[in-house]
Amino acid sequence: MMQNVHLAPETDEDDLYSGYNDYNPTYDTEELENDTAFQQAVRTSHGRRPPITAKIPSTAVTRPVATGYGSKTSLASSMGRPMTGAIQDGITRPMTAVRAAGFTKAALRGSAFDPLGQSRGPAPPLEAKNEDSPEEKNRQLEKKVNELVEESCIANSCGDLKLALEKAKDAGRKERVLVRQREQVTTPENINLDLTYSVLFNLASQYSANEMYAEALNTYQVIVKNKMFSNAGRLKVNMGNIYLKQRNYSKAIKFYRMALDQIPSVHKEMRIKIMQNIGVTFIKTGQYSDAINSFEHIMSMAPNLKAGFNLILSYFAVGDRDKMKKAFQKLIAVPLEIDEDDKYISPSDDPHTNLVIEAIKNDHLRQMERERKAMAEKYIMTAAKLIAPVIETSFAVGYDWCVEVVKASQYVELANDLEINKAITYLRQKDFNQAVETLKMFEKKDSRVKSAAATNLSFLYYLENEFAQASSYADLAVNSDRYNPSALTNKGNTVFANGDYEKAAEFYKEALRNDSSCTEALYNIGLTYKRLNRLDEALDCFLKLHAILRNSAQILYQIANVYELMEDPNQAIEWLMQLISVVPTDSRALSKLGELYDSEGDKSQAFQYYYESYRYFPSNIEVIEWLGAYYIDTQFCEKAIQYFERASLIQPTQVKWQLMVASCFRRSGNYQKALDTYKDIHRKFPENVECLRFLVRLCTDIGLKEVQEYATKLKRLEKMKEIREQRIKSGRDSSGGSRSRREGSDGSDSGQNCSASSKGERLSAKLRALPGTNEPYESSSNKEIDASYVDPLGPQIERPKTAAKKRIDEDDFADEELGDDLLPE
């Protein structure tokens, strides 16, 4: 062994280049094929690695090595471990490779370099899964259940509640099959409880969304009663919500309290929300003291806007003035937790900073902040309007207290809005002078408030037909805020009232450019075009408005009216049918339908709608007249009597209705009743020629002695009529016809049925005349008489809509009648 150990001679210590010519025979691979020990090691070492060298007793072993000269020498391991192929204790140790990975001698002979062994072909295919195995089937079924639950949730978010419920039910069925299969294959401990919980919870939620409350409660009970589900107790909140929807308030409170007991105190926000639900339920049951306790606890622990507002409502219900004030102050003090508006104003001209500010100026977070601020202002304004009339001796003092509190808070801008609401409250109390005085206080305020106040003042003066004042304040509102659509609309209204329709249309168009949702301006443009006889443009405006306000009765009426002016009765009838589907009791719309059907010649349909109109409004003279004439035409004079009697009650000074009643009695053969009626008419209207003629005729036929008396009166009246006509004719001849014909006469005209009226608009109504003196009673004369009477409703004017500020409620100035009048919001 020691013959292979070479000790360096001491004389070589100074030789810096010693050892460079030494040759290590280990790296000689030329004669490896002839090395029997190496070949034997290769044949015996495949798949059997020797133990680690630390377990071998001796490491200084030698083996014969073939040198380049054909001699066999032994080489000791320089690392202290046995050499490959060494013989130790008679056992040959397997030999390891000595060449570099991927390098062989054959590569030098022209073979391709292939260190990864790709030339051996592709790897054999992976072993296919056994899809028929129970575990694989369970895994696929579980995947399908999860997909069904997701699809159910997505369908619910898209609004398809029926599909969401079907998917939830399908997921429940498949999950039960999965549980049974797993119980057969594995132990019950391996069942996926989370999947079962999610399936049941989703099914209960879908039942509740589809208002199947009994099924939802049963499903929630299954979850709550299963002790294996953790935190299932908080689902009792959902059960309480269902009972609240069912108005079962006692059970709702019970389940809310059970959920509150099972939720630990660390979940503070959840507990606050449950307590708020309890307080709301107490309000619904009228237990205001319990509700006050709940909301007081919330405001002391975690104050929020809803709880503060509900607390004010509860104190208002019990009538505690001092507590209402304290609760209002607590509501004002609730922190909004939003950034100030100064954050969105660029402090410098840095382009990068400006880009960032522009990006966050209207992002989702900013929108959420705006919504929260708007909600806070709504709660505060509503609470102030609620408590102001009751916390002090008068509502004005109460409003002043609320304004002072708001001015000292973070909602300083709301103080002006409260002042404007104070003026509106004066309006509701019909105290217009105080409302005007309150609004005039804002003339020296900032432009936004000044514009709002001036808009409302213009609105008030417009309603009182003081168009000069209305125009003045409309100008002030427009000058204060040129982009105020309500101010521009009011300005257009004042110009419209003066008859300058083109200029009014320009103001309405400018209002629409500033706010495309200003429906008042769009409506008024339609009216303006109708006045200018630009019917196509008017129709286009009203159709656009109909797309925005689908069920507006006024818009439907205007569309029908435009079609009527365009001489398209079929379209007018169609839109009026839509109108009466919205307002089925509107007598004017029904009478208009009857008029259109009558013009088309459909008497039966016309009678149906006229009769419906009379049923809802039995004081419309036009409808009464048409119905009476219809029954006379159809030879049902007895039925016509009740309509003419009602007309005579509505217009007792008009003789024609009483004459028609007497005529109906005569036509129906009741001569005695007709004679009595004519005598009664003669007592009321002794100078009526037509009445005397029929009295003479009836008395002659019946043979009464009064005939001579009536005949004498008739001759006297006819003579007076001739003298009067001669005077009028001579007066016209002397004046050369320059003067206009007088509208009345000192007495009754003998050739007409009714006397003239000095007031109101006179409308002509053509009625079938009574038979002449020489005609038999049974005959019906085709002669028509022109009967003028006073319209009790007065002239129907068309006025534009007044665009008051949005704070003024629509119901305060709503017009019950449909027509061309456009009244304020």
Side-chain angles (χ1 to χ4, degrees):
M1 293 177 59
M2 296 301 295
Q3 62 183 352
N4 294 326
V5 177
H6 303 279
L7 299 176
E10 296 180 0
T11 57
D12 295 336
E13 291 180 358
D14 298 329
D15 189 2
L16 297 176
Y17 301 98
S18 62
Y20 280 96
N21 294 326
D22 294 342
Y23 179 75
N24 191 345
T26 304
Y27 301 106
D28 186 11
T29 59
E30 297 292 338
E31 297 296 327
L32 286 179
E33 295 179 359
N34 300 325
D35 191 344
T36 56
F38 177 79
Q39 294 297 330
Q40 185 179 2
V42 170
R43 287 194 298 270
T44 59
S45 65
H46 179 69
R48 296 190 300 277
R49 283 288 180 185
I52 57 177
T53 56
K55 296 181 180 180
I56 300 175
S58 176
T59 59
V61 294
T62 60
R63 68 176 181 83
V65 180
T67 66
Y69 299 97
S71 62
K72 303 286 186 176
T73 60
S74 295
L75 181 63
S77 172
S78 62
M79 298 299 293
R81 71 178 188 82
M83 300 297 295
T84 55
I87 300 174
Q88 180 179 341
D89 298 332
I91 301 175
T92 304
R93 186 175 184 276
M95 188 170 181
T96 57
V98 295
R99 66 174 179 264
F103 180 79
T104 59
K105 192 168 100 173
L108 300 175
R109 299 174 183 171
S111 62
F113 179 72
D114 187 18
L116 301 178
Q118 297 179 0
S119 60
R120 291 176 294 182
L126 297 174
E127 183 179 355
K129 290 184 178 179
N130 187 7
E131 296 183 358
D132 295 333
S133 64
E135 190 60 35
E136 185 63 27
K137 287 182 179 179
N138 292 342
R139 191 178 297 110
Q140 293 297 328
L141 188 57
E142 182 177 343
K143 182 179 179 182
K144 181 63 176 176
V145 171
N146 281 316
E147 290 176 354
L148 287 172
V149 172
E150 291 179 4
E151 291 173 3
S152 174
C153 296
I154 293 172
N156 182 281
S157 64
C158 295
D160 194 347
L161 303 180
K162 186 176 180 181
L163 178 62
L165 181 59
E166 291 298 326
K167 295 286 185 182
K169 288 180 178 179
D170 195 12
R173 287 191 291 267
K174 284 183 168 51
E175 193 273 335
R176 287 192 292 272
V177 173
L178 175 63
V179 170
R180 286 195 295 270
Q181 291 181 1
R182 282 199 167 162
E183 286 177 349
Q184 295 174 1
V185 176
T186 61
T187 58
E189 290 79 7
N190 294 328
I191 295 176
N192 191 348
L193 291 177
D194 293 337
L195 181 63
T196 305
Y197 182 90
S198 62
V199 168
L200 290 174
F201 179 66
N202 179 60
L203 180 60
S205 300
Q206 302 309 331
Y207 275 135
S208 179
N210 285 271
E211 297 184 357
M212 302 171 66
Y213 297 129
E215 292 84 352
L217 288 172
N218 292 335
T219 310
Y220 279 127
Q221 285 286 1
V222 172
I223 302 175
V224 171
K225 290 182 178 180
N226 195 334
K227 303 299 182 183
M228 300 180 69
F229 295 140
S230 60
N231 298 324
R234 66 180 58 188
L235 292 182
K236 291 181 180 178
V237 176
N238 294 13
M239 299 175 71
N241 292 339
I242 292 175
Y243 282 122
L244 185 64
K245 291 177 182 177
Q246 293 179 330
R247 299 187 179 181
N248 192 345
Y249 300 124
S250 59
K251 279 197 172 183
I253 293 173
K254 174 184 175 182
F255 276 88
Y256 285 144
R257 285 178 170 169
M258 290 169 64
L260 191 64
D261 293 339
Q262 295 186 12
I263 293 178
S265 57
V266 293
H267 297 147
K268 181 180 177 182
E269 187 175 354
M270 176 67 74
R271 291 177 63 86
I272 290 296
K273 289 182 178 179
I274 295 174
M275 291 192 68
Q276 190 158 324
N277 284 7
I278 293 174
V280 170
T281 311
F282 277 132
I283 289 180
K284 289 183 176 291
T285 58
Q287 303 177 29
Y288 299 114
S289 58
D290 295 328
I292 288 171
N293 293 333
S294 298
F295 293 129
E296 284 284 6
H297 178 74
I298 294 172
M299 294 300 289
S300 62
M301 297 296 295
N304 62 76
L305 294 169
K306 288 184 179 180
F309 182 72
N310 288 334
L311 182 60
I312 293 175
L313 289 180
S314 302
Y315 282 130
F316 178 81
V318 298
D320 194 334
R321 295 184 177 183
D322 295 334
K323 292 293 181 65
M324 273 189 271
K325 290 183 177 181
K326 293 180 180 178
F328 185 75
Q329 291 173 336
K330 289 181 181 179
L331 177 64
I332 292 286
V334 172
L336 277 180
E337 299 178 355
I338 62 175
D339 294 328
E340 297 295 333
D341 292 338
D342 297 340
K343 173 184 176 181
Y344 301 99
I345 300 175
S346 177
S348 62
D349 295 333
D350 183 13
H352 178 70
T353 305
N354 293 337
L355 284 175
V356 173
I357 292 176
E358 192 66 28
I360 67 174
K361 188 177 291 185
N362 199 31
D363 61 354
H364 291 296
L365 180 60
R366 178 60 174 160
Q367 292 175 7
M368 186 188 72
E369 290 178 346
R370 287 200 193 102
E371 290 174 1
R372 182 178 294 181
K373 186 176 181 181
M375 183 179 68
E377 292 177 352
K378 177 184 176 183
Y379 282 140
I380 293 170
M381 290 291 294
T382 307
K385 289 190 287 185
L386 179 69
I387 68 174
V390 297
I391 57 175
E392 297 291 348
T393 55
S394 66
F395 89 93
V397 180
Y399 260 107
D400 293 338
W401 182 87
C402 292
V403 168
E404 293 301 322
V405 172
V406 170
K407 284 182 178 179
S409 68
Q410 55 184 328
Y411 304 98
V412 182
E413 298 176 354
L414 288 182
N416 294 324
D417 296 337
L418 280 174
E419 290 281 0
I420 292 178
N421 272 284
K422 179 181 176 182
I424 295 173
T425 307
Y426 279 125
L427 283 179
R428 290 196 178 100
Q429 296 180 355
K430 309 300 182 184
D431 192 348
F432 294 101
N433 295 328
Q434 285 290 342
V436 171
E437 291 299 323
T438 305
L439 290 172
K440 285 182 177 179
M441 294 168 54
F442 293 95
E443 293 184 5
K444 297 181 180 180
K445 295 290 183 70
D446 62 322
S447 59
R448 186 188 69 85
V449 181
K450 184 194 298 183
S451 177
T455 300
N456 287 340
L457 284 169
S458 173
F459 159 78
L460 291 176
Y461 283 120
Y462 183 84
L463 289 181
E464 294 179 351
N465 292 330
E466 297 183 17
F467 299 126
Q469 288 280 6
S471 179
S472 173
Y473 279 103
D475 290 334
L476 178 61
V478 171
N479 294 333
S480 301
D481 185 2
R482 186 69 188 182
Y483 300 100
N484 185 350
S486 299
L488 291 167
T489 303
N490 282 353
K491 180 59 181 176
N493 291 347
T494 58
V495 177
F496 184 98
N498 293 327
D500 192 350
Y501 302 124
E502 293 287 353
K503 190 174 181 181
E506 292 300 322
F507 280 109
Y508 296 143
K509 289 177 182 178
E510 186 175 354
L512 279 175
R513 284 193 293 269
N514 293 336
D515 183 7
S516 59
S517 63
C518 184
T519 54
E520 296 86 0
L522 186 57
Y523 189 98
N524 292 351
I525 287 180
L527 282 186
T528 307
Y529 286 147
K530 200 166 76 166
R531 285 293 181 91
L532 295 170
N533 203 27
R534 293 155 63 176
L535 299 179
D536 291 331
E537 296 177 67
L539 181 62
D540 184 53
C541 291
F542 290 129
L543 289 175
K544 287 179 182 178
L545 203 55
H546 175 65
I548 301 172
L549 305 172
R550 303 294 298 180
N551 296 322
S552 173
Q554 285 187 339
I555 296 168
L556 292 171
Y557 179 82
Q558 291 296 336
I559 294 174
N561 183 247
V562 172
Y563 275 120
E564 184 184 3
L565 295 175
M566 296 171 70
E567 298 181 355
D568 190 350
N570 294 326
Q571 283 290 336
I573 289 172
E574 181 180 342
W575 284 96
L576 283 173
M577 293 295 290
Q578 293 187 37
L579 173 61
I580 63 173
S581 68
V582 176
V583 280
T585 61
D586 189 273
S587 62
R588 186 167 181 179
L590 292 167
S591 64
K592 177 59 71 173
L593 265 174
E595 179 184 340
L596 289 173
Y597 276 117
D598 188 25
S599 64
E600 291 292 301
D602 193 344
K603 294 287 185 181
S604 60
Q605 285 287 348
F607 170 75
Q608 176 185 348
Y609 289 110
Y610 270 123
Y611 182 76
E612 287 295 312
S613 175
Y614 172 79
R615 205 161 59 86
Y616 290 117
F617 184 57
S619 300
N620 191 332
I621 290 293
E622 293 179 0
V623 174
I624 292 173
E625 181 182 1
W626 191 94
L627 288 172
Y630 173 80
Y631 280 119
I632 291 176
D633 287 340
T634 55
Q635 305 299 322
F636 291 101
C637 299
E638 299 88 348
K639 293 186 177 180
I641 292 173
Q642 61 173 329
Y643 296 103
F644 292 126
E645 285 179 343
R646 179 172 288 276
S648 65
L649 291 175
I650 296 172
Q651 294 181 344
T653 60
Q654 298 293 324
V655 67
K656 68 174 182 178
W657 307 121
Q658 300 181 43
L659 287 173
M660 291 305 299
V661 172
S663 176
C664 290
F665 281 126
R666 180 183 55 79
R667 288 168 183 266
S668 61
N670 193 345
Y671 301 128
Q672 185 61 43
K673 190 71 175 175
L675 180 61
D676 295 339
T677 306
Y678 280 126
K679 288 181 178 180
D680 186 57
I681 295 172
H682 179 64
R683 282 194 299 270
K684 295 179 181 177
F685 304 95
E687 296 182 355
N688 187 271
V689 176
E690 198 70 28
C691 179
L692 284 172
R693 285 178 182 174
F694 280 103
L695 279 172
V696 171
R697 174 74 184 276
L698 282 172
C699 291
T700 302
D701 292 344
I702 298 175
L704 296 178
K705 296 179 180 180
E706 296 94 339
V707 62
Q708 189 63 35
E709 178 186 353
Y710 293 131
T712 305
K713 291 181 179 180
L714 179 60
K715 289 180 181 179
R716 188 187 313 122
L717 285 175
E718 287 177 347
K719 188 175 182 181
M720 290 174 60
K721 180 182 177 182
E722 291 177 359
I723 295 172
R724 189 182 303 116
E725 287 178 352
Q726 289 177 0
R727 289 177 179 175
I728 293 173
K729 186 177 180 180
S730 61
R732 288 175 182 170
D733 293 340
S734 62
S735 62
S738 60
R739 300 182 62 182
S740 61
R741 183 177 300 174
R742 297 179 61 185
E743 289 186 358
S745 62
D746 297 334
S748 299
D749 293 341
S750 59
Q752 301 292 331
N753 274 351
C754 67
S755 60
S757 172
S758 60
K759 293 183 181 179
E761 181 182 358
R762 306 179 61 84
L763 303 177
S764 294
K766 297 210 171 176
L767 296 174
R768 192 173 299 278
L770 302 172
T773 309
N774 299 323
E775 298 174 354
Y777 292 128
E778 292 78 12
S779 67
S780 296
S781 173
N782 291 328
K783 181 182 176 183
E784 292 183 342
I785 58 174
D786 184 13
S788 300
Y789 62 95
V790 179
D791 182 9
L793 300 180
Q796 297 298 316
I797 322 169
E798 189 177 67
R799 298 179 64 189
K801 254 187 184 175
T802 302
K805 292 299 288 180
K806 299 296 182 183
R807 301 181 186 87
I808 297 183
D809 298 332
E810 294 181 2
D811 296 337
D812 297 335
F813 306 98
D815 186 15
E816 297 179 357
E817 252 188 83
L818 285 177
D820 293 338
D821 292 348
L822 275 183
L823 296 182
E825 281 189 287

